[in-house]
Amino acid sequence: MQTITLIYGDGIGKEVIASAKAIVEASGANVDWEVHEAGAEACDKYGKPIDDAVIASIAQNGVALKGPTATPIGKGFRSVNVEIRKRLDLYVNLRPLRSFDGVKSLYENIDLTIVRENTEGLYIGIEKQVDENRAEATKVITRQASERIVNYAFDYATKMGKQKVTAIHKANIMKLTDGLFLNCAKEVAKKYPHIAFNDKIIDAACMDLVLNPYGYDVLVAPNLYGDIISDLGSALVGGLGVAPGANIGEKAAVFEAVHGSAPDIAGKDIANPTSAILSSAMMLKHIGMEQEGKRIEDAVAVCFANGQMTGELGGTLGCKAFTNAVIQNMK
Ligand code: NAD
């Protein structure tokens, strides 16, 4: 029996995580849950968006399924995601993007993976208000973090039978920071001669991903660029509602959808839970429950192929009805 830390989060988190939880249970996975609160709603209740007990639970269990969390604005709190990632050193943000038959999208047969560095870059939270007309942010790139994320990308490519790794950067302008990242990537690539390697400047990569996504396989990027291409990439396969993700470290991993708390549609039973469901399938595979994870992925694929999907994908099902359809397809 594996205990999993479960965080519903804010907005549609309650709906999509309830869906993923029901589906994990129906898959036959031998798990139990330790429920914790985090996010803006938790902040209203307890005065802070995340408590040390949440971090301790994830560290102890080694694995968590998390809904999207909003950051209280103007209260001086760090994002819950940044807090979890930093404190548990979840240095990899893994975002596979896969097309499904039946889901309308710009392209068919997309199978890309984005490996985003999760602990540094412009997201370290060091910002300074110099005066009312000037604000500054610090960007940190280190050799250690760059090498380990690129190593992870190549190891992942090797394990998954991928052909190519592309490093994304802006080293032509940020010569020192992105220059260091790119040099580290080039060095690491030499250790993996069986995998092709190239690099692309972030703005060119954005255009190219839209025009020619088949030219990419695994993309590895510093934090901000990885964030941007993850959302862009999700649009290639049907949007934010179908893009799963994982934050992975040496000792713990947190699985969560790419999308946010979507306050505009929260509580209406119209959110697409697929991203959370596929994140939970990634989680089961990560903890060695390969069959249960695959059973979930296959059931989602069957739903889509049958035209069973939520409204934003062109279907007629609500979040709960889609959840039931996935469970039916697992039987
Ligand atoms: P968002 O992803 O919540 O929403 C963007 C758009 O996509 C909205 O129109 C929304 O309705 C739609 N959408 C998102 N997920 C959907 C789903 N599952 N099904 C159907 N439609 C969906 O992005 P946002 O509006 O920029 O952010 C809202 C809040 O979420 C912010 O507070 C932000 O900080 C937070 N956020 C959290 C995470 C996280 O916890 N991992 C990630 C991104 C944003």
Side-chain angles (χ1 to χ4, degrees), residues 9-284:
D10 294 312
I12 60 169
K14 284 171 208 61
E15 298 156 70
V16 299
I17 292 297
S19 164
K21 176 174 179 282
I23 287 168
V24 167
E25 287 166 358
S27 76
N30 190 14
V31 300
D32 68 353
W33 311 95
E34 209 170 274
V35 178
H36 281 273
E37 292 175 76
E41 291 167 34
C43 190
D44 290 341
K45 273 200 210 160
Y46 308 113
K48 51 184 169 180
I50 184 162
D51 190 75
D52 284 349
V54 186
I55 304 284
S57 167
I58 303 171
Q60 158 120 22
N61 296 326
V63 61
L65 181 61
K66 176 186 167 294
T69 44
T71 304
I73 295 171
K75 293 190 187 164
F77 290 113
R78 195 150 79 157
S79 139
V80 165
N81 296 320
V82 173
E83 184 81 11
I84 292 175
R85 293 167 192 172
K86 283 293 282 181
R87 289 197 41 199
L88 294 166
D89 197 24
L90 307 180
Y91 66 96
V92 181
N93 195 319
L94 187 66
R95 292 173 163 182
L97 299 166
R98 185 184 144 208
S99 303
F100 285 97
D101 285 346
V103 174
K104 261 192 238 134
S105 56
L106 294 172
Y107 293 95
E108 289 174 355
N109 299 321
I110 297 288
D111 187 4
L112 292 176
T113 305
I114 294 168
V115 178
R116 163 186 166 193
E117 204 291 324
N118 225 5
T119 61
E120 58 176 31
L122 262 174
Y123 285 28
I124 50 168
I126 303 180
E127 288 191 294
K128 188 165 81 178
Q129 192 77 46
V130 178
D131 60 41
E132 62 175 324
N133 299 313
R134 184 181 173 88
E136 296 173 354
T138 301
K139 167 163 165 158
V140 172
I141 298 281
T142 64
R143 175 177 300 282
Q144 188 252 356
S146 302
E147 285 180 352
R148 77 175 172 171
I149 197 67
V150 180
N151 267 311
Y152 184 93
F154 275 98
D155 287 341
Y156 176 88
T158 305
K159 190 173 110 195
M160 304 301 284
K162 304 274 184 185
Q163 308 295 316
K164 185 162 106 178
V165 171
T166 303
I168 306 296
H169 61 89
K170 188 80 185 174
N172 54 329
I173 304 292
M174 272 161 277
K175 294 181 193 307
L176 299 182
T177 48
D178 284 12
L180 177 58
F181 176 81
L182 179 58
N183 284 339
C184 290
K186 286 179 176 168
E187 281 303 309
V188 170
K190 289 182 193 157
K191 293 195 303 177
Y192 298 86
H194 58 290
I195 308 267
F197 171 76
N198 69 349
D199 67 275
K200 201 92 186 165
I201 291 171
I202 174 67
D203 39 347
C206 285
M207 183 192 72
D208 210 29
L209 273 166
V210 174
L211 291 178
N212 174 34
Y214 302 115
Y216 297 85
D217 203 352
V218 175
L219 296 97
V220 62
N223 215 333
L224 173 64
Y225 311 142
D227 200 4
I228 293 169
I229 56 174
S230 295
D231 276 30
L232 185 152
S234 77
L236 300 173
V237 294
L240 284 172
V242 296
N247 301 283
I248 300 171
E250 298 297 338
K251 296 192 179 134
V254 174
F255 294 80
E256 65 178 336
V258 172
H259 62 73
S261 58
D264 51 336
I265 57 166
K268 297 179 180 165
D269 191 36
I270 55 174
N272 183 355
T274 303
S275 185
I277 296 168
L278 294 177
S279 301
S280 72
M282 283 173 79
M283 175 186 76
L284 293 181

Side-chain angles (χ1 to χ4, degrees), residues 291-312:
Q291 276 184 356
E292 291 83 350
K294 186 162 183 321
R295 192 171 300 145
I296 293 173
E297 288 170 352
D298 290 349
V300 168
V302 170
C303 278
F304 289 153
N306 290 341
Q308 296 171 297
M309 54 189 80
T310 47
E312 102 289 3

